[in-house]
Amino acid sequence: MSISPPPESLLASEPGPTGTASPFPPIADYGFLSDCHTGALVSSDGSIEWMCLPHFDSASIFGAMLDRGAGAWRLGPYGVYVPAGRRYVPGTNIIETTWMTPQGWLRVLDALTMGEWHDREHGSSHTRAPTDFDADHLLVRLVECIQGQVQVELVCEPMLDYGATPAQWRPADTGTEGGQALDAVYGEGAMRLYSDIRMGIEGNRAHGRHTMREGEKCYCALSWTDARGGPRNVQQAAENLQRTSQFWRSWLAEGTYPDHPWRKHLQRSALVLKGLTFMPTGALIAAPTTSLPETPRGERNWDYRYCWMRDAGFTLWGLHALGLDWEADDFVQYVSDLERNEDGSLQIMYGIKGQKELRESTLEQLKGYEGARPVRIGNGAFDQRQNDVYGAVLDSVYLHSKARDHIPERLWPVLVDQVECAARVWREPDQGIWETRGEPRHYVSSKLICWVALDRGARLAERRGEDELSARWQAGAEEIRADILERGVDSRGVFRQHYDTDALDASTLLVGLFRFLPADDPRVRATVMAIREELTENGLVLRYRTDETDDGLSGREGTFLICSFWLVSALSEIGEQSTAEHLCERLLGYSSPLELYAEELEASSGRHLGNYPQAFTHLALINAVTHVIASQQV
């Protein structure tokens, strides 16, 4: 009796938006590489499908994540696309992929490499104090045949300027050091592809194939330094990876992590946050990607390769909670450097080098992830009124000063201006923490975080001995508190989204987390429980219900992981320890195979949505996990 093969439909990938097999990997399929200057996203088939040069916010050279024709770089076994296993090398941001083929086994290591600090002929872009390590500006891929024999294929086909222009390869002059390499130009820079796999040029494709035998190692590497230097042989490539492993493990060892089964999630989140830090300035980007959709095939597609002041408090809380004080210092100094508005206020967001102008535009040449358009670069929210920016900065510095017992003197005038701005504008409507594009409203979360600005400002002024300033700011904080309690609470004792509605908003979970009211206040409990019961899908938290909120956009969105982790922390605060622990355990189970998180989850399927990996999600995870672990140890 013969056995029929399964129908092709059973072998297809996840269904796409039209019901056919999607050519795009699921968002959670990608792994994240970083050298703290730029990042790369690698799909499980061994293709680098997103990478911008030379920095996170530069134009992409590989963009297949947003259009299957926008460039990729694959290294893997010929004709085999599903690996046997995949992981981060423990304690690092190096990805190890293991392949099984009919003839043998293969292992590939991928890393954006780090090396010892090296003086540059043209100086350094660092405004922060450099460490002993810096980026090599090099992506190294090392492949080893560990059993049998395997035919390996290398296909590198960059599409420059977000997929607009095919790269043009030409043989490179490698000088007396030798080695095979190809050169290509991108924008104002140039890149060089090294490999000991023999390569040919096919238009914009550098293509190589080689049959590897047991014990054999090969490599390829892409360099974009001024000198386009890189490894000339497999031994040098292995040394690059070894130095990179040493960098990540040494950095991770500087933190403190509880001896708990969830420690690995804290460590991975720490490595993600470090990887999303732009080392030259200390900026923390929200995500390394643009326009991964919050709604499948929808318009909620944004560029997140920027630094939000909104995230500041959570950033420093998370870094200090794990003992990573150097990065917290750098972030505070980045804030000190930022150019302010005429009234002394900070914008809600800045570029990684402190740029104020982040004009939004669309890329018509890209079809978008699974057809989700428009594909945007820049972010039109940069000049929105969001009154929460002032409190976010003040809370972050207050947390930092408690941990370090010091405020840089050059930062104090910045802080004074932020408190004074909050005192002037808190009565005015704004776009809120979620940057809605509808009519300005009196959002409770914005009033709350203005209260934070004055409350934390008063505490900082008191520590500096400026008693008159402290008293004036504390009186202002009490005025805001009274207004919120009068107008921001509904008849059930639940905090509302804004003053003109009884709709719920997950941002009101911050009422307890920011210590606006004590955890045992009945209004805090009522708000937490109402959100848990009424603002969830399949137990996961929505930001708000889109049919109740004028956010200026169409379509639904997924549940927000940030908000779900906030609920864990809030439940823990009000004494619902068992519920908090179970929800946290469930959320940790929703991580990607490499323990990364996007911005949102589709509640019905657990599918990751939005830009990835998302810093704010990992910050909220750290907050939630440390809350639960602390409650278990009481």
Side-chain angles (χ1 to χ4, degrees), residues 292-335:
L292 291 180
E294 297 175 8
T295 305
R297 296 207 69 161
E299 64 173 337
R300 297 171 185 266
N301 316 317
W302 316 111
D303 191 347
Y304 271 21
R305 297 172 298 162
Y306 306 113
C307 182
W308 268 257
M309 294 299 99
R310 173 194 66 194
D311 302 354
F314 294 95
T315 300
L316 295 189
W317 194 99
L319 292 172
H320 283 309
L322 301 180
L324 301 171
D325 295 338
W326 184 290
E327 282 66 32
D329 283 339
D330 279 355
F331 188 82
V332 166
Q333 296 300 333
Y334 167 78
V335 172

mmCIF file of all heavy atoms in Angstrom, residues 292-335:
data_model
loop_
_atom_site.group_PDB
_atom_site.id
_atom_site.type_symbol
_atom_site.label_atom_id
_atom_site.label_comp_id
_atom_site.label_asym_id
_atom_site.label_seq_id
_atom_site.Cartn_x
_atom_site.Cartn_y
_atom_site.Cartn_z
ATOM 1 N N LEU A 292 5.724 47.975 10.449
ATOM 2 C CA LEU A 292 5.126 46.666 10.692
ATOM 3 C C LEU A 292 3.736 46.918 11.267
ATOM 4 O O LEU A 292 3.585 47.659 12.243
ATOM 5 C CB LEU A 292 5.984 45.842 11.656
ATOM 6 C CG LEU A 292 7.322 45.386 11.081
ATOM 7 C CD1 LEU A 292 8.103 44.585 12.119
ATOM 8 C CD2 LEU A 292 7.149 44.577 9.809
ATOM 9 N N PRO A 293 2.697 46.331 10.689
ATOM 10 C CA PRO A 293 1.327 46.796 10.959
ATOM 11 C C PRO A 293 0.803 46.406 12.332
ATOM 12 O O PRO A 293 1.012 45.290 12.800
ATOM 13 C CB PRO A 293 0.508 46.129 9.850
ATOM 14 C CG PRO A 293 1.299 44.901 9.494
ATOM 15 C CD PRO A 293 2.742 45.288 9.651
ATOM 16 N N GLU A 294 0.073 47.346 12.944
ATOM 17 C CA GLU A 294 -0.659 47.047 14.170
ATOM 18 C C GLU A 294 -1.978 46.346 13.863
ATOM 19 O O GLU A 294 -2.538 45.673 14.727
ATOM 20 C CB GLU A 294 -0.916 48.341 14.942
ATOM 21 C CG GLU A 294 0.360 49.028 15.397
ATOM 22 C CD GLU A 294 0.095 50.368 16.056
ATOM 23 O OE1 GLU A 294 -1.086 50.691 16.291
ATOM 24 O OE2 GLU A 294 1.061 51.095 16.335
ATOM 25 N N THR A 295 -2.473 46.530 12.663
ATOM 26 C CA THR A 295 -3.674 45.848 12.179
ATOM 27 C C THR A 295 -3.327 45.189 10.858
ATOM 28 O O THR A 295 -2.838 45.870 9.954
ATOM 29 C CB THR A 295 -4.827 46.839 11.948
ATOM 30 O OG1 THR A 295 -5.062 47.574 13.153
ATOM 31 C CG2 THR A 295 -6.091 46.112 11.532
ATOM 32 N N PRO A 296 -3.515 43.878 10.697
ATOM 33 C CA PRO A 296 -3.177 43.241 9.424
ATOM 34 C C PRO A 296 -3.822 43.973 8.243
ATOM 35 O O PRO A 296 -5.018 44.263 8.255
ATOM 36 C CB PRO A 296 -3.737 41.826 9.585
ATOM 37 C CG PRO A 296 -3.682 41.575 11.064
ATOM 38 C CD PRO A 296 -3.998 42.902 11.688
ATOM 39 N N ARG A 297 -2.994 44.330 7.284
ATOM 40 C CA ARG A 297 -3.392 45.054 6.076
ATOM 41 C C ARG A 297 -3.983 46.432 6.377
ATOM 42 O O ARG A 297 -4.632 47.037 5.526
ATOM 43 C CB ARG A 297 -4.392 44.235 5.239
ATOM 44 C CG ARG A 297 -3.818 42.955 4.693
ATOM 45 C CD ARG A 297 -4.509 42.511 3.433
ATOM 46 N NE ARG A 297 -4.225 43.401 2.312
ATOM 47 C CZ ARG A 297 -4.400 43.052 1.038
ATOM 48 N NH1 ARG A 297 -4.857 41.849 0.726
ATOM 49 N NH2 ARG A 297 -4.130 43.904 0.065
ATOM 50 N N GLY A 298 -3.761 46.939 7.577
ATOM 51 C CA GLY A 298 -4.346 48.215 7.960
ATOM 52 C C GLY A 298 -3.398 49.375 7.740
ATOM 53 O O GLY A 298 -2.288 49.223 7.209
ATOM 54 N N GLU A 299 -3.825 50.565 8.200
ATOM 55 C CA GLU A 299 -3.057 51.791 8.007
ATOM 56 C C GLU A 299 -2.269 52.194 9.249
ATOM 57 O O GLU A 299 -1.555 53.200 9.226
ATOM 58 C CB GLU A 299 -3.996 52.928 7.612
ATOM 59 C CG GLU A 299 -5.004 53.299 8.692
ATOM 60 C CD GLU A 299 -5.805 54.545 8.349
ATOM 61 O OE1 GLU A 299 -5.322 55.352 7.531
ATOM 62 O OE2 GLU A 299 -6.908 54.702 8.899
ATOM 63 N N ARG A 300 -2.412 51.433 10.327
ATOM 64 C CA ARG A 300 -1.718 51.789 11.573
ATOM 65 C C ARG A 300 -0.268 51.291 11.505
ATOM 66 O O ARG A 300 0.130 50.366 12.209
ATOM 67 C CB ARG A 300 -2.452 51.180 12.759
ATOM 68 C CG ARG A 300 -3.873 51.706 12.926
ATOM 69 C CD ARG A 300 -4.651 50.910 13.977
ATOM 70 N NE ARG A 300 -6.033 51.347 14.054
ATOM 71 C CZ ARG A 300 -6.486 52.271 14.915
ATOM 72 N NH1 ARG A 300 -5.662 52.825 15.768
ATOM 73 N NH2 ARG A 300 -7.759 52.616 14.906
ATOM 74 N N ASN A 301 0.507 51.965 10.678
ATOM 75 C CA ASN A 301 1.883 51.564 10.408
ATOM 76 C C ASN A 301 2.781 52.777 10.647
ATOM 77 O O ASN A 301 2.662 53.776 9.944
ATOM 78 C CB ASN A 301 2.027 51.098 8.956
ATOM 79 C CG ASN A 301 0.885 50.197 8.511
ATOM 80 O OD1 ASN A 301 0.473 49.312 9.243
ATOM 81 N ND2 ASN A 301 0.372 50.443 7.318
ATOM 82 N N TRP A 302 3.693 52.670 11.605
ATOM 83 C CA TRP A 302 4.466 53.836 12.027
ATOM 84 C C TRP A 302 5.956 53.532 12.046
ATOM 85 O O TRP A 302 6.383 52.377 12.190
ATOM 86 C CB TRP A 302 4.022 54.293 13.422
ATOM 87 C CG TRP A 302 2.540 54.317 13.614
ATOM 88 C CD1 TRP A 302 1.795 53.488 14.401
ATOM 89 C CD2 TRP A 302 1.594 55.202 12.979
ATOM 90 N NE1 TRP A 302 0.466 53.805 14.313
ATOM 91 C CE2 TRP A 302 0.309 54.856 13.441
ATOM 92 C CE3 TRP A 302 1.720 56.252 12.074
ATOM 93 C CZ2 TRP A 302 -0.837 55.519 13.032
ATOM 94 C CZ3 TRP A 302 0.582 56.917 11.662
ATOM 95 C CH2 TRP A 302 -0.680 56.552 12.140
ATOM 96 N N ASP A 303 6.740 54.594 11.956
ATOM 97 C CA ASP A 303 8.188 54.483 12.051
ATOM 98 C C ASP A 303 8.582 54.676 13.519
ATOM 99 O O ASP A 303 8.358 55.738 14.096
ATOM 100 C CB ASP A 303 8.837 55.559 11.166
ATOM 101 C CG ASP A 303 10.335 55.356 10.994
ATOM 102 O OD1 ASP A 303 10.916 54.544 11.738
ATOM 103 O OD2 ASP A 303 10.921 56.022 10.107
ATOM 104 N N TYR A 304 9.176 53.651 14.097
ATOM 105 C CA TYR A 304 9.508 53.674 15.528
ATOM 106 C C TYR A 304 11.002 53.790 15.794
ATOM 107 O O TYR A 304 11.450 53.520 16.912
ATOM 108 C CB TYR A 304 8.974 52.401 16.200
ATOM 109 C CG TYR A 304 7.553 52.530 16.701
ATOM 110 C CD1 TYR A 304 6.689 53.488 16.206
ATOM 111 C CD2 TYR A 304 7.072 51.664 17.679
ATOM 112 C CE1 TYR A 304 5.397 53.589 16.661
ATOM 113 C CE2 TYR A 304 5.770 51.761 18.146
ATOM 114 C CZ TYR A 304 4.938 52.726 17.638
ATOM 115 O OH TYR A 304 3.651 52.840 18.092
ATOM 116 N N ARG A 305 11.782 54.221 14.818
ATOM 117 C CA ARG A 305 13.242 54.253 14.975
ATOM 118 C C ARG A 305 13.710 55.566 15.622
ATOM 119 O O ARG A 305 14.727 56.130 15.243
ATOM 120 C CB ARG A 305 13.906 54.062 13.607
ATOM 121 C CG ARG A 305 13.607 52.704 12.979
ATOM 122 C CD ARG A 305 14.103 52.610 11.556
ATOM 123 N NE ARG A 305 13.441 53.586 10.694
ATOM 124 C CZ ARG A 305 13.904 53.970 9.506
ATOM 125 N NH1 ARG A 305 15.049 53.481 9.061
ATOM 126 N NH2 ARG A 305 13.236 54.848 8.783
ATOM 127 N N TYR A 306 12.970 55.997 16.638
ATOM 128 C CA TYR A 306 13.240 57.264 17.306
ATOM 129 C C TYR A 306 13.154 57.074 18.817
ATOM 130 O O TYR A 306 12.782 56.006 19.309
ATOM 131 C CB TYR A 306 12.256 58.340 16.824
ATOM 132 C CG TYR A 306 12.254 58.469 15.318
ATOM 133 C CD1 TYR A 306 11.134 58.120 14.562
ATOM 134 C CD2 TYR A 306 13.393 58.903 14.644
ATOM 135 C CE1 TYR A 306 11.150 58.198 13.181
ATOM 136 C CE2 TYR A 306 13.421 58.990 13.264
ATOM 137 C CZ TYR A 306 12.291 58.639 12.528
ATOM 138 O OH TYR A 306 12.322 58.715 11.162
ATOM 139 N N CYS A 307 13.476 58.134 19.538
ATOM 140 C CA CYS A 307 13.515 58.068 20.996
ATOM 141 C C CYS A 307 12.377 58.898 21.572
ATOM 142 O O CYS A 307 12.311 60.106 21.352
ATOM 143 C CB CYS A 307 14.863 58.586 21.492
ATOM 144 S SG CYS A 307 15.052 58.497 23.285
ATOM 145 N N TRP A 308 11.477 58.255 22.309
ATOM 146 C CA TRP A 308 10.321 58.905 22.920
ATOM 147 C C TRP A 308 10.627 59.308 24.361
ATOM 148 O O TRP A 308 11.069 58.467 25.162
ATOM 149 C CB TRP A 308 9.123 57.964 22.923
ATOM 150 C CG TRP A 308 8.210 58.072 21.749
ATOM 151 C CD1 TRP A 308 6.991 58.688 21.705
ATOM 152 C CD2 TRP A 308 8.410 57.516 20.438
ATOM 153 N NE1 TRP A 308 6.439 58.556 20.445
ATOM 154 C CE2 TRP A 308 7.284 57.842 19.649
ATOM 155 C CE3 TRP A 308 9.449 56.781 19.839
ATOM 156 C CZ2 TRP A 308 7.164 57.472 18.319
ATOM 157 C CZ3 TRP A 308 9.330 56.412 18.522
ATOM 158 C CH2 TRP A 308 8.198 56.759 17.765
ATOM 159 N N MET A 309 10.355 60.542 24.704
ATOM 160 C CA MET A 309 10.473 60.964 26.106
ATOM 161 C C MET A 309 9.469 60.218 26.985
ATOM 162 O O MET A 309 9.711 59.976 28.168
ATOM 163 C CB MET A 309 10.237 62.468 26.224
ATOM 164 C CG MET A 309 11.297 63.327 25.546
ATOM 165 S SD MET A 309 12.966 63.097 26.231
ATOM 166 C CE MET A 309 13.679 61.958 25.038
ATOM 167 N N ARG A 310 8.322 59.846 26.393
ATOM 168 C CA ARG A 310 7.302 59.079 27.115
ATOM 169 C C ARG A 310 7.886 57.834 27.765
ATOM 170 O O ARG A 310 7.465 57.396 28.830
ATOM 171 C CB ARG A 310 6.221 58.674 26.110
ATOM 172 C CG ARG A 310 5.158 57.736 26.622
ATOM 173 C CD ARG A 310 4.375 57.152 25.450
ATOM 174 N NE ARG A 310 5.235 56.291 24.631
ATOM 175 C CZ ARG A 310 4.911 55.871 23.401
ATOM 176 N NH1 ARG A 310 3.800 56.276 22.841
ATOM 177 N NH2 ARG A 310 5.718 55.070 22.738
ATOM 178 N N ASP A 311 8.865 57.236 27.098
ATOM 179 C CA ASP A 311 9.448 55.993 27.592
ATOM 180 C C ASP A 311 10.497 56.223 28.675
ATOM 181 O O ASP A 311 11.002 55.265 29.259
ATOM 182 C CB ASP A 311 10.119 55.225 26.439
ATOM 183 C CG ASP A 311 9.155 54.906 25.308
ATOM 184 O OD1 ASP A 311 7.950 55.180 25.453
ATOM 185 O OD2 ASP A 311 9.611 54.377 24.282
ATOM 186 N N ALA A 312 10.826 57.501 28.925
ATOM 187 C CA ALA A 312 11.989 57.797 29.752
ATOM 188 C C ALA A 312 11.892 57.209 31.155
ATOM 189 O O ALA A 312 12.826 56.580 31.656
ATOM 190 C CB ALA A 312 12.187 59.311 29.833
ATOM 191 N N GLY A 313 10.747 57.437 31.815
ATOM 192 C CA GLY A 313 10.613 56.928 33.174
ATOM 193 C C GLY A 313 10.737 55.422 33.246
ATOM 194 O O GLY A 313 11.412 54.877 34.124
ATOM 195 N N PHE A 314 10.091 54.746 32.306
ATOM 196 C CA PHE A 314 10.160 53.282 32.300
ATOM 197 C C PHE A 314 11.558 52.801 31.940
ATOM 198 O O PHE A 314 12.032 51.777 32.435
ATOM 199 C CB PHE A 314 9.123 52.722 31.332
ATOM 200 C CG PHE A 314 7.715 52.991 31.771
ATOM 201 C CD1 PHE A 314 7.026 54.096 31.302
ATOM 202 C CD2 PHE A 314 7.082 52.168 32.685
ATOM 203 C CE1 PHE A 314 5.736 54.369 31.715
ATOM 204 C CE2 PHE A 314 5.798 52.425 33.116
ATOM 205 C CZ PHE A 314 5.118 53.529 32.631
ATOM 206 N N THR A 315 12.230 53.549 31.059
ATOM 207 C CA THR A 315 13.596 53.186 30.681
ATOM 208 C C THR A 315 14.494 53.171 31.910
ATOM 209 O O THR A 315 15.166 52.173 32.198
ATOM 210 C CB THR A 315 14.153 54.191 29.652
ATOM 211 O OG1 THR A 315 13.329 54.182 28.490
ATOM 212 C CG2 THR A 315 15.579 53.848 29.270
ATOM 213 N N LEU A 316 14.511 54.282 32.630
ATOM 214 C CA LEU A 316 15.420 54.370 33.766
ATOM 215 C C LEU A 316 14.990 53.445 34.901
ATOM 216 O O LEU A 316 15.836 52.887 35.608
ATOM 217 C CB LEU A 316 15.513 55.815 34.252
ATOM 218 C CG LEU A 316 16.145 56.784 33.246
ATOM 219 C CD1 LEU A 316 16.401 58.131 33.893
ATOM 220 C CD2 LEU A 316 17.450 56.231 32.701
ATOM 221 N N TRP A 317 13.680 53.279 35.059
ATOM 222 C CA TRP A 317 13.224 52.334 36.080
ATOM 223 C C TRP A 317 13.753 50.938 35.770
ATOM 224 O O TRP A 317 14.304 50.252 36.629
ATOM 225 C CB TRP A 317 11.697 52.323 36.130
ATOM 226 C CG TRP A 317 11.151 51.648 37.359
ATOM 227 C CD1 TRP A 317 10.704 52.251 38.489
ATOM 228 C CD2 TRP A 317 11.015 50.231 37.573
ATOM 229 N NE1 TRP A 317 10.300 51.309 39.404
ATOM 230 C CE2 TRP A 317 10.486 50.057 38.881
ATOM 231 C CE3 TRP A 317 11.302 49.098 36.824
ATOM 232 C CZ2 TRP A 317 10.230 48.804 39.422
ATOM 233 C CZ3 TRP A 317 11.054 47.842 37.371
ATOM 234 C CH2 TRP A 317 10.516 47.714 38.650
ATOM 235 N N GLY A 318 13.593 50.514 34.518
ATOM 236 C CA GLY A 318 14.035 49.175 34.131
ATOM 237 C C GLY A 318 15.539 49.005 34.243
ATOM 238 O O GLY A 318 16.028 47.988 34.756
ATOM 239 N N LEU A 319 16.304 50.020 33.794
ATOM 240 C CA LEU A 319 17.760 49.908 33.842
ATOM 241 C C LEU A 319 18.258 49.870 35.282
ATOM 242 O O LEU A 319 19.097 49.048 35.648
ATOM 243 C CB LEU A 319 18.391 51.080 33.086
ATOM 244 C CG LEU A 319 18.171 51.090 31.562
ATOM 245 C CD1 LEU A 319 18.663 52.397 30.967
ATOM 246 C CD2 LEU A 319 18.850 49.905 30.897
ATOM 247 N N HIS A 320 17.723 50.765 36.124
ATOM 248 C CA HIS A 320 18.163 50.770 37.529
ATOM 249 C C HIS A 320 17.706 49.504 38.257
ATOM 250 O O HIS A 320 18.420 48.997 39.128
ATOM 251 C CB HIS A 320 17.641 52.014 38.239
ATOM 252 C CG HIS A 320 18.402 53.254 37.902
ATOM 253 N ND1 HIS A 320 19.774 53.341 37.969
ATOM 254 C CD2 HIS A 320 17.979 54.483 37.492
ATOM 255 C CE1 HIS A 320 20.163 54.553 37.626
ATOM 256 N NE2 HIS A 320 19.104 55.272 37.333
ATOM 257 N N ALA A 321 16.518 48.993 37.917
ATOM 258 C CA ALA A 321 16.028 47.785 38.571
ATOM 259 C C ALA A 321 16.970 46.606 38.340
ATOM 260 O O ALA A 321 17.082 45.711 39.189
ATOM 261 C CB ALA A 321 14.628 47.437 38.064
ATOM 262 N N LEU A 322 17.661 46.617 37.213
ATOM 263 C CA LEU A 322 18.585 45.533 36.890
ATOM 264 C C LEU A 322 20.040 45.910 37.161
ATOM 265 O O LEU A 322 20.955 45.157 36.813
ATOM 266 C CB LEU A 322 18.415 45.123 35.422
ATOM 267 C CG LEU A 322 17.022 44.637 35.024
ATOM 268 C CD1 LEU A 322 16.984 44.270 33.551
ATOM 269 C CD2 LEU A 322 16.594 43.441 35.875
ATOM 270 N N GLY A 323 20.261 47.078 37.752
ATOM 271 C CA GLY A 323 21.616 47.481 38.112
ATOM 272 C C GLY A 323 22.453 47.971 36.954
ATOM 273 O O GLY A 323 23.690 48.002 37.047
ATOM 274 N N LEU A 324 21.821 48.382 35.853
ATOM 275 C CA LEU A 324 22.554 48.810 34.658
ATOM 276 C C LEU A 324 22.647 50.342 34.659
ATOM 277 O O LEU A 324 22.011 51.030 33.868
ATOM 278 C CB LEU A 324 21.855 48.281 33.413
ATOM 279 C CG LEU A 324 21.743 46.743 33.385
ATOM 280 C CD1 LEU A 324 20.843 46.288 32.248
ATOM 281 C CD2 LEU A 324 23.127 46.106 33.265
ATOM 282 N N ASP A 325 23.480 50.855 35.552
ATOM 283 C CA ASP A 325 23.497 52.287 35.814
ATOM 284 C C ASP A 325 24.228 53.084 34.736
ATOM 285 O O ASP A 325 23.937 54.258 34.525
ATOM 286 C CB ASP A 325 24.141 52.562 37.177
ATOM 287 C CG ASP A 325 23.311 51.994 38.316
ATOM 288 O OD1 ASP A 325 22.108 51.781 38.118
ATOM 289 O OD2 ASP A 325 23.877 51.754 39.390
ATOM 290 N N TRP A 326 25.188 52.476 34.049
ATOM 291 C CA TRP A 326 25.931 53.201 33.025
ATOM 292 C C TRP A 326 24.977 53.672 31.925
ATOM 293 O O TRP A 326 25.021 54.814 31.489
ATOM 294 C CB TRP A 326 27.031 52.317 32.438
ATOM 295 C CG TRP A 326 27.913 53.013 31.424
ATOM 296 C CD1 TRP A 326 27.582 53.416 30.164
ATOM 297 C CD2 TRP A 326 29.278 53.405 31.608
ATOM 298 N NE1 TRP A 326 28.643 54.021 29.535
ATOM 299 C CE2 TRP A 326 29.700 54.027 30.396
ATOM 300 C CE3 TRP A 326 30.198 53.278 32.660
ATOM 301 C CZ2 TRP A 326 31.006 54.521 30.229
ATOM 302 C CZ3 TRP A 326 31.477 53.764 32.468
ATOM 303 C CH2 TRP A 326 31.872 54.381 31.279
ATOM 304 N N GLU A 327 24.114 52.766 31.456
ATOM 305 C CA GLU A 327 23.169 53.114 30.395
ATOM 306 C C GLU A 327 22.183 54.178 30.868
ATOM 307 O O GLU A 327 21.790 55.059 30.107
ATOM 308 C CB GLU A 327 22.424 51.865 29.930
ATOM 309 C CG GLU A 327 23.226 50.969 29.005
ATOM 310 C CD GLU A 327 24.433 50.333 29.696
ATOM 311 O OE1 GLU A 327 24.356 50.073 30.907
ATOM 312 O OE2 GLU A 327 25.456 50.106 29.017
ATOM 313 N N ALA A 328 21.785 54.095 32.148
ATOM 314 C CA ALA A 328 20.895 55.115 32.696
ATOM 315 C C ALA A 328 21.588 56.479 32.696
ATOM 316 O O ALA A 328 20.981 57.502 32.360
ATOM 317 C CB ALA A 328 20.467 54.729 34.107
ATOM 318 N N ASP A 329 22.866 56.514 33.070
ATOM 319 C CA ASP A 329 23.621 57.771 33.033
ATOM 320 C C ASP A 329 23.652 58.335 31.617
ATOM 321 O O ASP A 329 23.450 59.540 31.402
ATOM 322 C CB ASP A 329 25.059 57.538 33.512
ATOM 323 C CG ASP A 329 25.157 57.408 35.026
ATOM 324 O OD1 ASP A 329 24.242 57.884 35.728
ATOM 325 O OD2 ASP A 329 26.150 56.836 35.496
ATOM 326 N N ASP A 330 23.918 57.479 30.638
ATOM 327 C CA ASP A 330 23.998 57.935 29.251
ATOM 328 C C ASP A 330 22.665 58.504 28.780
ATOM 329 O O ASP A 330 22.620 59.509 28.057
ATOM 330 C CB ASP A 330 24.419 56.778 28.336
ATOM 331 C CG ASP A 330 25.921 56.538 28.354
ATOM 332 O OD1 ASP A 330 26.640 57.321 28.990
ATOM 333 O OD2 ASP A 330 26.374 55.557 27.724
ATOM 334 N N PHE A 331 21.566 57.872 29.184
ATOM 335 C CA PHE A 331 20.254 58.350 28.743
ATOM 336 C C PHE A 331 19.958 59.724 29.343
ATOM 337 O O PHE A 331 19.437 60.615 28.663
ATOM 338 C CB PHE A 331 19.164 57.350 29.115
ATOM 339 C CG PHE A 331 17.827 57.692 28.525
ATOM 340 C CD1 PHE A 331 17.519 57.342 27.223
ATOM 341 C CD2 PHE A 331 16.883 58.389 29.253
ATOM 342 C CE1 PHE A 331 16.298 57.676 26.660
ATOM 343 C CE2 PHE A 331 15.660 58.729 28.714
ATOM 344 C CZ PHE A 331 15.360 58.364 27.404
ATOM 345 N N VAL A 332 20.295 59.919 30.611
ATOM 346 C CA VAL A 332 20.085 61.220 31.249
ATOM 347 C C VAL A 332 20.907 62.296 30.532
ATOM 348 O O VAL A 332 20.441 63.416 30.304
ATOM 349 C CB VAL A 332 20.441 61.143 32.747
ATOM 350 C CG1 VAL A 332 20.550 62.540 33.343
ATOM 351 C CG2 VAL A 332 19.389 60.342 33.491
ATOM 352 N N GLN A 333 22.132 61.973 30.153
ATOM 353 C CA GLN A 333 22.955 62.941 29.445
ATOM 354 C C GLN A 333 22.405 63.228 28.049
ATOM 355 O O GLN A 333 22.483 64.364 27.564
ATOM 356 C CB GLN A 333 24.401 62.450 29.362
ATOM 357 C CG GLN A 333 25.098 62.323 30.708
ATOM 358 C CD GLN A 333 25.178 63.636 31.457
ATOM 359 O OE1 GLN A 333 25.185 64.707 30.866
ATOM 360 N NE2 GLN A 333 25.218 63.574 32.789
ATOM 361 N N TYR A 334 21.833 62.217 27.395
ATOM 362 C CA TYR A 334 21.179 62.431 26.101
ATOM 363 C C TYR A 334 20.041 63.441 26.249
ATOM 364 O O TYR A 334 19.907 64.367 25.438
ATOM 365 C CB TYR A 334 20.640 61.097 25.582
ATOM 366 C CG TYR A 334 19.667 61.203 24.420
ATOM 367 C CD1 TYR A 334 20.108 61.440 23.128
ATOM 368 C CD2 TYR A 334 18.300 61.045 24.630
ATOM 369 C CE1 TYR A 334 19.218 61.536 22.062
ATOM 370 C CE2 TYR A 334 17.398 61.133 23.576
ATOM 371 C CZ TYR A 334 17.860 61.377 22.301
ATOM 372 O OH TYR A 334 16.961 61.470 21.259
ATOM 373 N N VAL A 335 19.237 63.295 27.294
ATOM 374 C CA VAL A 335 18.153 64.244 27.543
ATOM 375 C C VAL A 335 18.718 65.644 27.770
ATOM 376 O O VAL A 335 18.182 66.648 27.282
ATOM 377 C CB VAL A 335 17.291 63.789 28.735
ATOM 378 C CG1 VAL A 335 16.285 64.864 29.122
ATOM 379 C CG2 VAL A 335 16.578 62.474 28.410
#
